[in-house]
Amino acid sequence: MSKSTIHTEGTRAIDYKPLKVSSPAFGHEKYIPAKYTCDGVNISPPLTIEHVPEKAACLVLILDDPDARAETWVHWLIWNIPLTHHLKENAVHGIEGMNDFKQHQYGGPCPPSGTHRYFFKVYSLDTLLDLPVHTTKVQLEKAMSGHIIAFGELIGLYKRGSK
């Protein structure tokens, strides 16, 4: 399998293997069904993860919206997900951190206007993380640094009243 590189601050780079992240509920860069948003039941969608490395210890999922007005809005943080190829709909698979709704749970897409992009980012780590439940995205990313062995993402779209 080929390797990819994430470029980080300065000249440092991280080599990682690509994960394939998909969902039976919506395609890459396609609209997320309202069921998974604030206009519906607001539950997490099912995800499929392929090419998880054998040496992985756990998975991490970060769901965020880079199109939010002021800065990227964090909808869901979950780490220490046991190795799996399927994250079930409306299920908690690991430890949930603090999203930007100030909650420890999935917060579905709910853009105030226009179409927003939602990045379901999945990381494979070589270790479990020992973090408190009030951990934020910045703290989680710092703790993951140096432990990422694979990465993949699925981008979904949503516009209020679109589906």
Side-chain angles (χ1 to χ4, degrees):
M1 180 175 300
S2 65
K3 283 192 158 195
S4 300
T5 303
I6 296 176
H7 293 284
T8 59
E9 296 179 54
T11 58
R12 195 171 131 219
I14 300 169
D15 287 329
Y16 67 96
K17 293 183 178 186
L19 296 174
K20 181 179 178 190
V21 182
S22 60
S23 176
F26 63 95
H28 183 67
E29 296 185 348
K30 301 297 182 192
Y31 279 89
I32 299 167
K35 173 181 182 178
Y36 305 108
T37 74
C38 67
D39 294 322
V41 188
N42 204 19
I43 59 173
S44 62
L47 297 175
T48 301
I49 304 159
E50 298 177 57
H51 310 300
V52 176
E54 286 184 25
K55 66 180 182 177
C58 70
L59 300 173
V60 171
L61 174 76
I62 297 174
L63 169 59
D64 58 24
D65 170 8
D67 301 319
R69 288 183 191 162
E71 59 186 25
T72 298
W73 189 264
V74 179
H75 286 261
W76 200 22
L77 298 174
I78 188 165
W79 64 89
N80 291 354
I81 301 169
L83 298 182
T84 183
H85 294 284
H86 301 284
L87 299 180
K88 294 179 182 177
E89 175 183 277
N90 196 32
V92 176
H93 303 274
I95 300 169
E96 294 177 297
M98 181 70 73
N99 65 23
D100 285 339
F101 298 107
K102 304 297 181 210
Q103 299 173 340
H104 298 93
Q105 64 188 31
Y106 174 82
C110 197
S113 63
T115 300
H116 285 220
R117 297 169 298 151
Y118 296 88
F119 288 67
F120 292 81
K121 298 182 276 192
V122 179
Y123 302 84
S124 176
L125 305 184
D126 63 5
T127 188
L128 293 172
L129 300 175
D130 184 16
L131 299 170
V133 294
H134 293 300
T135 296
T136 64
K137 178 183 169 187
V138 170
Q139 294 164 328
L140 176 58
E141 288 175 333
K142 184 176 180 181
M144 292 188 324
S145 178
H147 296 290
I148 300 168
I149 57 176
F151 169 78
E153 66 185 13
L154 170 65
I155 301 171
L157 308 175
Y158 192 67
K159 179 179 182 176
R160 306 281 309 267
S162 64
K163 298 210 179 224

